[in-house]
Amino acid sequence: MLIVKKFGGSSVANAERINHVAQTIVKSYKEGNQVVVVLSAQGDTTDELIEKAMEINPEASKRELDMLLSTGEQQSVALMAMAIEKLGYPVISLNAFQCKIYSTSTYGNARIKDISTERINNELERKNIVIITGFQGVNRRLDITTLGRGGSDTSAVALAAKLGADICEIYTDVDGVYTCDPRIVKNARKLDEITYDEMLELATLGAKVLHNRSVELAKKYNVNLVVRSSMTDAEGTVVKEDTKVERMLVNGVAVDKDVARIAVMGVKDEPGVAFKIFSLLSKEKISVDLIIQSIGREKIKDISFTVTKGEMKQAVKIIEDNKNSIGFDSISYNDNVAKVSAVGAGMATNPGVASMMFEALYDAGINVKMISTSEIKITVLVNDRDADRAAVAVHDKFMDAGMQIG
Amino acid sequence: MLIVKKFGGSSVANAERINHVAQTIVKSYKEGNQVVVVLSAQGDTTDELIEKAMEINPEASKRELDMLLSTGEQQSVALMAMAIEKLGYPVISLNAFQCKIYSTSTYGNARIKDISTERINNELERKNIVIITGFQGVNRRLDITTLGRGGSDTSAVALAAKLGADICEIYTDVDGVYTCDPRIVKNARKLDEITYDEMLELATLGAKVLHNRSVELAKKYNVNLVVRSSMTDAEGTVVKEDTKVERMLVNGVAVDKDVARIAVMGVKDEPGVAFKIFSLLSKEKISVDLIIQSIGREKIKDISFTVTKGEMKQAVKIIEDNKNSIGFDSISYNDNVAKVSAVGAGMATNPGVASMMFEALYDAGINVKMISTSEIKITVLVNDRDADRAAVAVHDKFMDAGMQIG
């Protein structure tokens, strides 16, 4: 089997952990597999490098930041290769330009465009374990780029897709995907399988196990993903197109507390107003999440939406600065909110799920501020102090209902 | 003018020094020059990385060590580019693979083979200040190599040669080349000019201002080298083919304390014995310096030579392990020795120099253990506790003699 294994920064934070991971890698190689490993930078390396940069120039160009940050992964792969050499197995480390991981030129948030697998395949044919820098690419000019948050997951999935790997294992500090964060909901349970779409909704909603871009990519190229623990040998959770088991009604409950709500009140009820607001925000790279538009009364309506807490003030300023061109009465905002979402592929065919969820929240006395639904997801916005209780209530409700009723 | 400037690790050790060097660079750019800058890794970065590697695998392959160490210079160039961006000038950092600095594959001690200057010239045409990683190259497979000790000097000179730079400025923590180490000889004076050959002898003899490979390369391609201070605006020392001033009798006195002496006694006085010893050592990459062979008596002779202190034990072991094939009576060794050398282009035409030097040492009551001479150099081996006194005595002798008598 050709296996791609990805380990995050905490798994390679120090010599001891590197040695531990080296053994995990070698074990798989000894079983007769071809092994490609993708690594993040060690522990806090990236943060330390950013701090160094900020000390010199808080407005450093993203091009030079990427030049700086990419050294973190290069150090990881070299150190890991040394650890595997010590165990006596053939190994080579490669960085993005050596594997020709080509990306767009959006420094700091580049997308992988293509990977030329010749070098990697050569090394695999020579029986080498191949250790590759995650999180980074090179653009057409061979300048170094980084892939943004969760980039190493994306690197691993892209490599798995391009190499035609049999499996792509994402090692994390949890042993799989849970029905909810076990720190919030004590009886949360590990899922054996989950579909790409469900994982995508969970990832987007703040379940930090996998980055959503990596899941999108896995879905697009049908990569067999497994989320498993770097500490234990537990089986993990398989993410794939269709789970063999019956479609779950709700497969997971996610909580995201990094949310702020902005309401723009008294805008004209005519086409293009929402577009104007969101294009202004998008120009400044502010991502908008839940959007709710009240039903217009007397040619006036309200538009509410959520952004991350860190971007709230900037978003409010942008809207206020453009008050004349947008046209509105007032703006309100607060960051004491959180999102609670229920995700399940079975939801699409079962209209009763939403009402079960609202019932659970009502029973727990939790006020719902906004609601948004997709085919396989229901999200509610609640006060952040209610978030954990809401997650428990929703989780329990569906657990009681068996959760697997499709 | 096209200027190549090289700054060492201590010049970029922290944000403050990086900002200081950024200003030096920008000053030169504002005067209308095209500026290419070569940097080493920050302060102790290389040592810290080696320590990390040793913790994981004391016998890590040199290939992976180079992969690890090369990140140090990449961090320096990115940080320097950020500092120059902050001053508002156009700048770009490039690493070895981006400049296509091709080297041999001798990891840890590679030699530059060629540099494709296209990218650098492009960036200069765009009016960019170009900041390049010293100390590193890529081999034919695009694997990263490092150039060994003093590698950044070599990178700078090679770039200056290949780009046809008008001048290559090596910034150090001293303000030029001195007649002797000022810490040893208080009345040592700074030279305005020195020839490549003199500099080469001084560099090889342990004057740590410039690495000998960089001087060799400068001589070969006739690169105008200047050694100057990164702290002051002082003029520095020009290293070039022929100095305009009269040839100095002695231009410098160097002390090298990293020396050990090995004597192999009672070898047969027949061809090939010396070759056998030195090829055994060379196979293990042990460099041999001064070599003296006693005059044979009764078909028996002694061979003495020097190595660095760190390699003494290994060298002795190699010779003892091969006692049968070499054929000798006994071996002795000690590392309480040091080399003191007088260097001057005028020496070649003045046979009195050697006797002046021995007179100085005799007057100071210093015993000479070995003597070696070249056209422009006389080296003596003395007890290491006598080394500084010997340097002062020799320096004073030639200073008294005017030092410029040719």
Side-chain angles (χ1 to χ4, degrees), chain A residues 140-351:
Chain A
R140 240 177 357 178
R141 300 178 72 199
L142 296 183
D143 284 350
I144 297 170
T145 60
T146 66
L147 307 179
R149 228 188 266 185
S152 290
D153 289 350
T154 309
S155 303
V157 173
L159 281 161
K162 209 50 199 177
L163 292 164
D166 297 286
I167 196 163
C168 177
E169 298 177 322
I170 308 287
Y171 287 80
T172 68
D173 46 8
V174 293
D175 60 358
V177 181
Y178 275 73
T179 51
C180 194
D181 186 335
R183 287 167 302 187
I184 297 174
V185 175
K186 277 179 194 130
N187 56 347
R189 64 179 179 78
K190 199 186 77 183
L191 297 165
D192 293 330
E193 297 188 329
I194 189 170
T195 68
Y196 295 124
D197 285 335
E198 288 170 330
M199 190 66 238
L200 206 48
E201 292 284 11
L202 285 172
T204 311
L205 292 168
K208 296 190 182 66
V209 178
L210 276 177
H211 195 263
N212 57 349
R213 268 161 64 187
S214 64
V215 183
E216 278 169 14
L217 207 61
K219 178 181 153 109
K220 187 168 171 190
Y221 293 102
N222 209 16
V223 173
N224 249 324
L225 263 186
V226 178
V227 177
R228 57 189 300 182
S229 165
S230 59
M231 304 300 164
T232 73
D233 275 343
E235 283 286 319
T237 300
V238 178
V239 188
K240 53 188 200 176
E241 191 47 70
D242 252 310
T243 58
K244 283 176 203 156
V245 297
E246 293 168 89
R247 290 189 158 205
M248 301 281 183
L249 190 58
V250 165
N251 232 340
V253 175
V255 177
D256 184 0
K257 294 179 183 171
D258 185 15
V259 185
R261 173 174 179 262
I262 298 175
V264 185
M265 279 160 300
V267 303
K268 282 189 196 139
D269 186 15
E270 58 185 36
V273 175
F275 169 76
K276 206 176 278 167
I277 293 173
F278 298 124
S279 73
L280 283 166
L281 296 176
S282 147
K283 248 185 242 164
E284 301 299 322
K285 311 261 183 215
I286 294 175
S287 292
V288 168
D289 194 22
L290 301 186
I291 300 175
I292 298 203
Q293 197 170 292
S294 67
I295 296 151
R297 39 155 179 95
E298 293 173 24
K299 302 200 171 178
I300 293 286
K301 65 186 176 185
D302 303 335
I303 295 177
S304 304
F305 56 90
T306 57
V307 296
T308 60
K309 282 187 164 59
E311 293 179 331
M312 181 181 76
K313 285 193 179 159
Q314 197 194 349
V316 169
K317 185 171 184 310
I318 290 166
I319 293 167
E320 282 177 339
D321 287 351
N322 291 278
K323 185 163 185 173
N324 288 339
S325 75
I326 299 168
F328 61 87
D329 292 340
S330 64
I331 185 166
S332 77
Y333 48 91
N334 78 74
D335 60 2
N336 301 324
V337 290
K339 284 191 299 188
V340 176
S341 307
V343 172
M347 215 181 267
T349 51
N350 194 321

Side-chain angles (χ1 to χ4, degrees), chain B residues 73-148:
Chain B
E73 289 79 34
Q74 188 165 321
Q75 293 179 358
S76 291
V77 296
L79 292 170
M80 183 61 74
M82 292 174 193
I84 292 172
E85 281 174 352
K86 197 179 176 193
L87 297 175
Y89 290 86
V91 63
I92 190 160
S93 71
L94 296 173
N95 65 21
F97 91 85
Q98 290 166 334
C99 309
K100 306 208 187 306
I101 300 179
Y102 291 109
S103 77
T104 61
S105 279
T106 317
Y107 297 111
N109 199 25
R111 303 255 163 169
I112 293 176
K113 288 170 73 178
D114 196 17
I115 301 173
S116 157
T117 54
E118 195 188 334
R119 176 76 194 262
I120 301 170
N121 281 325
N122 277 346
E123 299 298 345
L124 289 173
E125 275 163 32
R126 293 168 182 219
K127 305 286 177 207
N128 275 322
I129 297 169
V130 184
I131 316 286
I132 298 175
T133 51
F135 183 65
Q136 60 186 252
V138 287
N139 66 13
R140 237 177 0 176
R141 299 177 73 198
L142 296 183
D143 283 351
I144 297 170
T145 60
T146 65
L147 307 180

Side-chain angles (χ1 to χ4, degrees), chain B residues 141-214:
Chain B
R141 299 177 73 198
L142 296 183
D143 283 351
I144 297 170
T145 60
T146 65
L147 307 180
R149 229 188 266 185
S152 290
D153 289 351
T154 308
S155 303
V157 173
L159 280 162
K162 206 55 195 171
L163 292 165
D166 297 285
I167 195 163
C168 178
E169 298 178 322
I170 308 288
Y171 287 80
T172 68
D173 47 7
V174 294
D175 59 359
V177 181
Y178 275 72
T179 52
C180 193
D181 187 335
R183 286 166 303 186
I184 296 174
V185 175
K186 278 184 192 125
N187 56 346
R189 64 179 179 78
K190 198 186 79 183
L191 297 165
D192 293 331
E193 296 188 330
I194 188 170
T195 68
Y196 294 125
D197 285 335
E198 289 171 327
M199 190 66 237
L200 206 48
E201 292 284 11
L202 286 171
T204 310
L205 292 169
K208 297 193 181 63
V209 178
L210 276 178
H211 194 264
N212 59 347
R213 268 161 65 186
S214 64

